[in-house]
């Protein structure tokens, strides 16, 4: 279908962005990569009055190391993350996950910030951000603030951004020498939104523990789902391949169903995915130099 | 009534200066305003890939690009890439393998294949399949397309023919 | 070379092109993005139409106000049924040879009774599509809802709501076959197996959506329609009759068509409405369905529930099949080919490959408040084959016999033709034995079984699925003509030597990418012994080509090709005759070779066809007074020896099932297909591959999911899953060639064989993989959840 009419401004500064957001309120949408927004508009699912294009703000396109974090500007595309040597060095999990995001043509334009702001629980980046203990840097007329990923995703398509605020960058803690991770998602077709996906991050300890583990699911709830019970068990029990099944049985998330999969199926698939990822990490713990 | 906004871009090597309604996506702009029909509409959700064009040298879904954003950009459609010979090897391989039937997905397939050949020339057959999986084809069943791309990659690397015709 | 012909039924002795993998000349423009599809055509004063479609499955309009919409920028008008009632008459989608079939009259725009979500009701015409869509939002329409028939299993319940009360019930058609002694056979058989199979409603999802550009010329009272369609003459006939225009005043042109697969062989209410609006408004009107409306307005297919049973002896001989097919179509039977053909073919085709004398089948076609359903690639074969091959596998495993061995025992053997099948199908000559042997070697069946056994030890579950199939092609007039439909079952070709020495071939069968134009060029070039580069083919224009049927039921090569062969032969004879007049020779001494006329004995050159053409067209004064050269020949061909010319084939699918996730990986697929003479092996193989993948769509991915209110839940490309490249297997193909004697060309059809056998083979492979768990899945599409339910890993939560 053809999109409904809307007005358009290519913002020349952040101030202009905030001023327009203030003026138009709910009737304005931020245009970043447009890969989600424009599809929505083409289906006439939404009829905003004005699109505020932030694509011209070069400050939002940077990737750099800032202190102990990798700072990725909101307008950095999925393709740029996929291809970036800096990202591969400091946050290799991002490099590994990027190819799972849709398809390359979408990745050439779609942005990390756009994905985080849209907060689709079936998307990869919100889940990864939580798993990596990322920080959202939001900015509005009142200035910048930092929002922990854990506190950012509130409900389906709902974030902690206040009206008039946009995401300007994401901070990802630099990966350290003992950081290990595993990611997988189940899709019926490559590039689809996953039925279920999970990422596990943590620090490998010499005693065979996965410390500071975070286990986050995508596609199961209205926001990225943390498997708190399993995370806690990992603090006290070594992660071995034999134990993977036991850990997985302790999974405490309650997924909802979707068009093709009942809630029970999702839970089953979540457990299977978790067990497989834990087994993979257990293997890495056995061979520490590969961690 | 929303005002039309000025844009100035290069399309298939030619400079274009005009105004557009903000809501007009790049494909409708190319087709309806510039009469360039090689850019096609398949779904307008960004899923099927029939609308693939090149924006600043990279493949994109034209239905998910607003024409109003393309000022100072270069846009290339299949016709443009074809006319300057950029796709000759792929076109010949597609023709020889019958990697197209109705032709509606072909613009997307060729431009995606070209990006793969240019950026991932060491792709395995499985990797080719994955990369091309963003483009829907209903006619071919995909194998001939994969074979054609393998033929081009083999020829480039000078290795013994990797394209097996089963 | 063409030696003098003693009969009209000859093919050139030396075949340069027939049988060769000639690349398609018409692909070159498509490779450059320079094809011409309907949406590419722009006419002066062209306007666009969009349709307001019923948002509910069943209801009645109670009020309608277009006053705001009409005021929107660019709007030319808003129209409803009464505005075009005088321009276009309604239709009824029944045929006389489907006795008892009922369907009520259907109108281009629904006059008030809303019968499916997606039914076109009001038309908004504007200068641009954007403006028309903007105006849609301002239509003020109110409706009452009526109870919905959305479950075909309850459509015939006594207390079911009736979609059309005047018909008395929701039954569109019923039919039974009862041959042999079915009850006695089942009662006394050593082994009886029973299973039910479900097939999810799905649709074609052509890359190019349905497109019509109607151009009514008010001065001449003529109508030109640019149509993305498979059967231009059929549409010419329909538009002429329903708009009360002389047939000669209607021209239908099919240029490049972006995929059709049967979806575009039907007539649609919005097609008629678009054409009527062009007549009403006296200007070109363009209708391009967008993707969202395609999901609710394109013809759907394959909504079937089939209960099946098979009787066999303990030593593995099949004695009987019995099926009961319930299929839920839309609220109207599709026009003019009806919504009964798919079910009819399920009845005719089930059990097809196998020897048996006892067969009973019942078909019930019921109306539903869902989009109309009708022919889509394979038309009943995917269902018949899956049911047959599924129950055959079940019998084999019950008897403890290897499924390939079981099939080899029971197929009709290659030396036993012609014969009639238990359902009544007449078979000229098939090659099941040869195909099974060939695929056994090709797929290394024993090697696959070894690998399967070995990997089971490692808890890796692979499955091998076999599907033998028969498929109808090259239909005679029995298919539609005898039912009263004005659908041509014959086709014609005109072959002409042009002034410059080239050959122009005009054929009534066109193409939508399958390569028909190329094979026609191959046939003409070989028959006339011309370099293929000098042959040009024209199709898809009712004003230019002979009158014919178009593409459907895999008839392009067999029927269109034969017409080209016969017309080329005839022209060849005329050219020899012409050369004789010029050179004072007699026909048996001359031949055509490589665009020239030569002496048969010593190959001495006599004339170039280019020079003969010039002489005929420009210098007839140099010819004998009593001789008039004819440089054009038209021949028509219809297949009248059999109701259909059947082909046969066999598929093998090799899969791996992840029994923890239910995910299926398609490792490899093989097809051995016997479609008679293969004119272009590359094109045929690609047709088979495309059809296999389409069949995979049905067995693993595609379904139109409806809720109880008859509303589509997954009507977008994001939610409706079509096969994409990463999940598809490589498909290896081989051919056996049992030429049909019904034509000189000997070619049968091949376009649908892939979609007929692939679902059966994949389903059987999955069940073979699950065999160690005594789990079976019989509901397509086979989703991961259905596999997990069969394995007992999750409880069933949905059908």
């Amino acid at each position: 279908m053809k999109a409904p009419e809307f007005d358009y401004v290519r913002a020349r500064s952040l101030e202009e962005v905030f001023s327009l957001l203030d003026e138009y309120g709910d009737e304005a949408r931020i245009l970043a990569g447009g890969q989600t927004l424009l599809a929505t508009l083409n289906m006439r699912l939404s009829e905003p009055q004005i699109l505020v294009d932030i694509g011209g703000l070069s400050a939002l396109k940077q990737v750099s190391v800032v202190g102990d974090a990798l700072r990725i500007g909101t307008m950095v595309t999925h393709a740029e993350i996929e291809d970036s040597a800096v990202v591969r060095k400091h946050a290799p999990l991002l490099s590994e996950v990027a190819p799972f995001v849709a398809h390359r043509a979408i990745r050439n334009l779609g942005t990390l910030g756009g994905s985080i702001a849209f907060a689709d629980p079936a998307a990869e980046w919100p889940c990864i951000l939580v798993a990596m203990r990322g920080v959202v840097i939001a900015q509005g007329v009142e200035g910048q603030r930092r929002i922990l990923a854990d506190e950012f995703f509130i409900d389906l398509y709902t974030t902690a951004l206040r009206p008039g605020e946009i995401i300007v960058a994401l901070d990802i803690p630099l990966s350290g020498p003992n950081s290990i991770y595993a990611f997988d998602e189940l899709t019926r077709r490559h590039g689809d939104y996953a039925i279920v996906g999970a990422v596990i991050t943590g620090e490998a300890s010499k005693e065979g523990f996965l410390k500071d583990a975070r286990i986050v699911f995508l596609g199961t709830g209205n926001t990225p789902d943390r498997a708190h019970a399993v995370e806690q068990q990992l603090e006290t029990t070594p992660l071995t391949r034999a134990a993977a099944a036991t850990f997985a049985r302790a999974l405490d998330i309650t997924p909802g169903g979707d068009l093709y999969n009942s809630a029970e199926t999702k839970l089953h698939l979540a457990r299977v995915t978790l067990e497989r990822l834990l087994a993979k990490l257990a293997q890495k713990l056995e061979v520490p130099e590969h961690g | 009534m929303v005002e039309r906004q000025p844009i100035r871009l290069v399309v298939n090597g030619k400079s274009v200066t005009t105004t557009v309604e903000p809501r007009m996506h790049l494909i409708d702009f190319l087709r309806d305003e510039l009469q360039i029909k090689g850019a096609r509409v398949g779904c307008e959700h960004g899923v099927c890939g029939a609308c693939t064009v090149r924006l600043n040298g990279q493949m994109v879904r034209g239905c998910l690009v607003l024409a109003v954003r393309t000022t100072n950009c270069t846009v290339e459609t299949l016709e443009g890439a074809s006319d300057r010979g950029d796709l000759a090897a792929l076109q010949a391989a597609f023709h020889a393998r019958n990697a197209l039937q109705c032709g509606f997905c072909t613009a997307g397939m060729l431009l995606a294949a070209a990006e793969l050949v240019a950026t991932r020339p060491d792709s395995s057959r499985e990797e080719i399949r994955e990369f091309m999986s963003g483009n829907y084809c209903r006619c071919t069943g995909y194998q001939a397309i994969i074979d054609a791309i393998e033929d081009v990659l083999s020829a480039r690397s000078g290795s013994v023919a990797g394209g097996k015709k089963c | 070379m063409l030696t003098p012909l003693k009969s009209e039924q000859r093919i050139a002795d030396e075949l340069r092109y027939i049988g060769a993998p000639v690349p398609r000349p018409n692909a070159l423009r498509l490779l450059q993005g320079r094809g011409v599809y309907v949406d590419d055509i722009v006419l002066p004063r062209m306007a666009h139409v969009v349709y307001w479609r019923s948002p509910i499955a069943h209801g009645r309009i109670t009020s309608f106000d277009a006053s705001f919409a009409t005021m929107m920028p660019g709007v030319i008008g808003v129209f409803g049924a009464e505005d075009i009632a005088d321009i276009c008459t309604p239709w009824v989608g029944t045929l006389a040879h489907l006795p008892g079939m009922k369907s009520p009259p259907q109108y281009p725009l629904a006059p008030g009774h809303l019968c499916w979500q997606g039914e076109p009701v009001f038309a908004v015409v504007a200068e641009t599509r954007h403006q028309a869509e903007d105006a849609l939002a301002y239509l003020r329409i109110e409706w009452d809802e009526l109870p919905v028939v959305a479950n075909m299993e309850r459509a015939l319940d006594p207390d079911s709501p009736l979609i059309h009360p005047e018909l008395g019930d929701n039954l569109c058609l019923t039919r039974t076959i009862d041959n042999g002694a079915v009850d006695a056979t089942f009662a006394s058989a050593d082994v009886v197996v029973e299973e039910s199979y479900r097939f999810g409603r799905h649709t074609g999802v052509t890359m190019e959506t349905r497109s019509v550009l109607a151009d009514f010329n008010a001065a001449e009272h003529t109508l030109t329609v640019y149509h993305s369609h498979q059967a231009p003459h059929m549409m010419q006939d329909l538009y002429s009759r329903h708009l009360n225009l002389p047939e000669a005043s209607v021209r239908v042109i099919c240029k490049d068509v972006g995929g059709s697969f049967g979806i575009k062989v039907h007539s649609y209410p919005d097609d008629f409405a678009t054409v009527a609006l062009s007549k009403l408004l006296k200007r070109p009107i363009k209708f391009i369905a967008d993707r969202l409306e395609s999901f609710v307005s394109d013809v759907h297919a394959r909504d079937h529930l089939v209960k099946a049973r098979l009787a066999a002896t303990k030593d593995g001989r099949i004695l009987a099949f019995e099926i009961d097919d319930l299929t839920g179509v839309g609220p109207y039977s599709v026009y003019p080919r009806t919504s009964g053909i798919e079910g009819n073919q399920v009845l005719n085709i089930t059990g097809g490959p196998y020897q048996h004398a006892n067969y009973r089948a019942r078909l019930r076609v019921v109306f539903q408040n869902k989009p109309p359903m009708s022919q889509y690639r394979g038309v009943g074969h995917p269902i018949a084959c899956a049911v047959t091959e599924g129950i055959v596998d079940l019998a084999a495993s019950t008897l403890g016999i290897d499924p390939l061995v079981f099939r080899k025992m029971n197929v009709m053997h290659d030396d036993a033709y012609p014969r009639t099948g238990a359902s009544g199908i007449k078979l000229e000559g098939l090659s099941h034995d040869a195909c099974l042997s060939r695929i056994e070697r090709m797929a290394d069946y024993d090697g696959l079984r070894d690998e399967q056994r070995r990997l089971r030890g490692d808890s890796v579950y692979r499955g091998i699925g076999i599907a033998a199939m028969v498929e109808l092609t090259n239909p005679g007039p029995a298919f539609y003509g005898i039912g009263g439909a004005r659908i041509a079952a014959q086709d014609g070709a005109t072959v002409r030597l042009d002034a410059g020495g080239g050959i122009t071939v005009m054929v009534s069968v066109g193409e939508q990418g399958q390569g028909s134009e190329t094979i026609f060029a191959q046939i003409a070039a070989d028959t006339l012994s011309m370099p293929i580069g000098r042959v040009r083919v024209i199709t898809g224009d009712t004003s230019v080509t002979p009158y014919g049927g178009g593409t459907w039921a895999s008839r392009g090569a067999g029927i269109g090709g034969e017409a080209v062969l016969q017309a080329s032969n005839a022209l060849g004879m005329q050219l020899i005759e012409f050369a004789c007049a010029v050179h004072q020779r007699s026909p048996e001494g001359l031949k055509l070779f490589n665009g020239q006329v030569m002496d048969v004995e010593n190959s001495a050159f006599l004339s170039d066809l280019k020079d003969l053409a010039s002489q005929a067209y420009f210098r007839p004064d140099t010819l004998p007074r009593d001789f008039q050269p004819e440089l054009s020949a038209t021949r028509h061909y219809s297949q009248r020896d059999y109701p259909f010319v059947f082909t046969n084939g066999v598929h093998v699918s090799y899969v791996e099932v992840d029994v923890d996730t239910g995910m299926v990986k398609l490792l490899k697929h093989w097809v051995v297909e016997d479609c008679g003479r293969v004119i272009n092996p590359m094109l045929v193989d690609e047709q088979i591959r495309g059809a296999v993948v389409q069949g995979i769509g049905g067995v693993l991915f595609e379904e139109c999911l409806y809720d109880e209110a008859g509303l589509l839940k997954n009507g977008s490309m994001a939610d409706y899953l079509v096969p994409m490249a990463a999940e598809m297997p490589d498909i290896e193909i081989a051919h056996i060639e049992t030429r049909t004697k019904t034509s000189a060309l000997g070619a049968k059809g091949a376009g649908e064989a892939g979609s007929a056998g692939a679902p059966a083979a994949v389903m059987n492979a999955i069940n073979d993989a699950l065999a160690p768990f005594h789990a079976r899945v019989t509901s397509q599409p086979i989703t991961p959840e259905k596999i997990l339910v069969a394995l007992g890993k999750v409880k069933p939560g949905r059908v």
Side-chain angles (χ1 to χ4, degrees), chain B residues 23 31 95 102 138 142-143, chain C residues 24 37 40 134 204 723 731:
Chain B
R23 65 165 159 174
R31 292 180 61 76
H95 194 214
C102 79
R138 196 48 142 175
Y142 304 107
Q143 185 170 336
Chain C
R24 295 164 56 212
Y37 304 87
D40 300 338
D134 290 341
I731 301 160

Side-chain angles (χ1 to χ4, degrees), chain A residues 44 189-190 260 262 265 268, chain C residues 134 660 700 719 722 727 785:
Chain A
R44 293 197 181 226
R189 304 179 310 174
H190 178 80
Y260 292 103
S262 69
T265 298
H268 171 86
Chain C
D134 290 341
D660 290 316
L700 290 182
D719 294 322
V722 289
E727 292 71 40
E785 183 171 86

Side-chain angles (χ1 to χ4, degrees), chain A residues 1-2 4 43-44 186-190 192 195 258-262 264-265 268-269 272 276, chain C residues 130 133-134 290 658 660-661 663 700-701 705 713-714 719 721-722 727 783-785 788 794-795 798:
Chain A
M1 290 182 78
K2 307 303 175 189
M43 294 196 210
R44 293 197 181 226
L186 286 175
T187 54
R188 287 167 71 188
R189 304 179 310 174
H190 178 80
D192 281 353
I195 304 173
D258 65 21
L259 206 48
Y260 292 103
N261 305 279
S262 69
E264 195 194 343
T265 298
H268 171 86
L269 293 174
V272 171
R276 290 178 180 180
Chain C
H130 290 75
E133 287 191 20
D134 290 341
D290 81 25
D658 182 332
D660 290 316
T661 62
M663 297 287 205
L700 290 182
F701 294 102
L705 293 170
K713 298 193 287 188
N714 64 336
D719 294 322
L721 306 177
V722 289
E727 292 71 40
T783 62
E785 183 171 86
L788 292 174
V794 302
K795 282 190 299 295
R798 65 190 71 212

Side-chain angles (χ1 to χ4, degrees), chain B residues 35-152:
Chain B
Q35 307 304 320
I36 297 172
K37 304 298 184 182
R40 307 216 167 274
V41 172
C43 71
E44 291 176 308
H45 330 335
V47 175
C48 75
C51 68
T52 306
V53 291
R54 278 181 184 155
L55 180 64
N56 297 334
Q58 289 186 313
M59 66 167 172
V60 297
R61 308 286 204 217
C63 71
L64 297 184
V65 175
L66 292 179
V68 74
R69 279 188 116 180
T70 61
T71 214
N72 294 326
C73 293
T74 55
V75 170
E76 191 170 57
T77 69
L78 173 58
E79 296 101 315
S82 175
D83 287 350
R84 65 182 178 86
D86 192 49
L87 302 172
L90 281 167
Q91 286 166 314
F94 270 50
H95 194 214
R97 290 279 192 178
N98 206 50
L100 70 155
Q101 292 182 26
C102 79
F104 210 78
C105 74
T106 303
M109 290 296 179
L110 282 170
L111 292 174
E115 187 149 317
L116 177 141
V117 167
T119 61
R120 297 157 197 239
D122 296 323
S123 295
S124 67
R125 189 174 177 85
E126 197 183 314
E127 285 165 339
I128 297 172
R129 276 193 180 272
E130 270 189 15
F131 190 85
M132 298 304 292
S133 68
N135 288 76
Y136 173 48
C137 173
R138 196 48 142 175
C139 296
T140 67
Y142 304 107
Q143 185 170 336
I145 295 172
I146 308 304
D147 289 341
I149 295 170
E150 268 196 346
D151 287 347
V152 170

Side-chain angles (χ1 to χ4, degrees), chain A residues 84-129:
Chain A
S84 163
V86 175
V87 171
R88 192 173 313 277
K89 179 167 178 207
H90 294 294
L93 175 55
L94 295 180
S95 311
E96 184 171 316
V97 170
F100 287 87
V101 176
H103 299 281
R104 184 72 185 190
I106 300 282
R107 295 200 292 276
N108 279 338
L109 292 181
T111 64
L112 174 63
S115 169
I116 299 297
F118 185 57
D120 186 336
E124 289 81 8
W125 294 138
C127 170
I128 298 299
L129 197 71

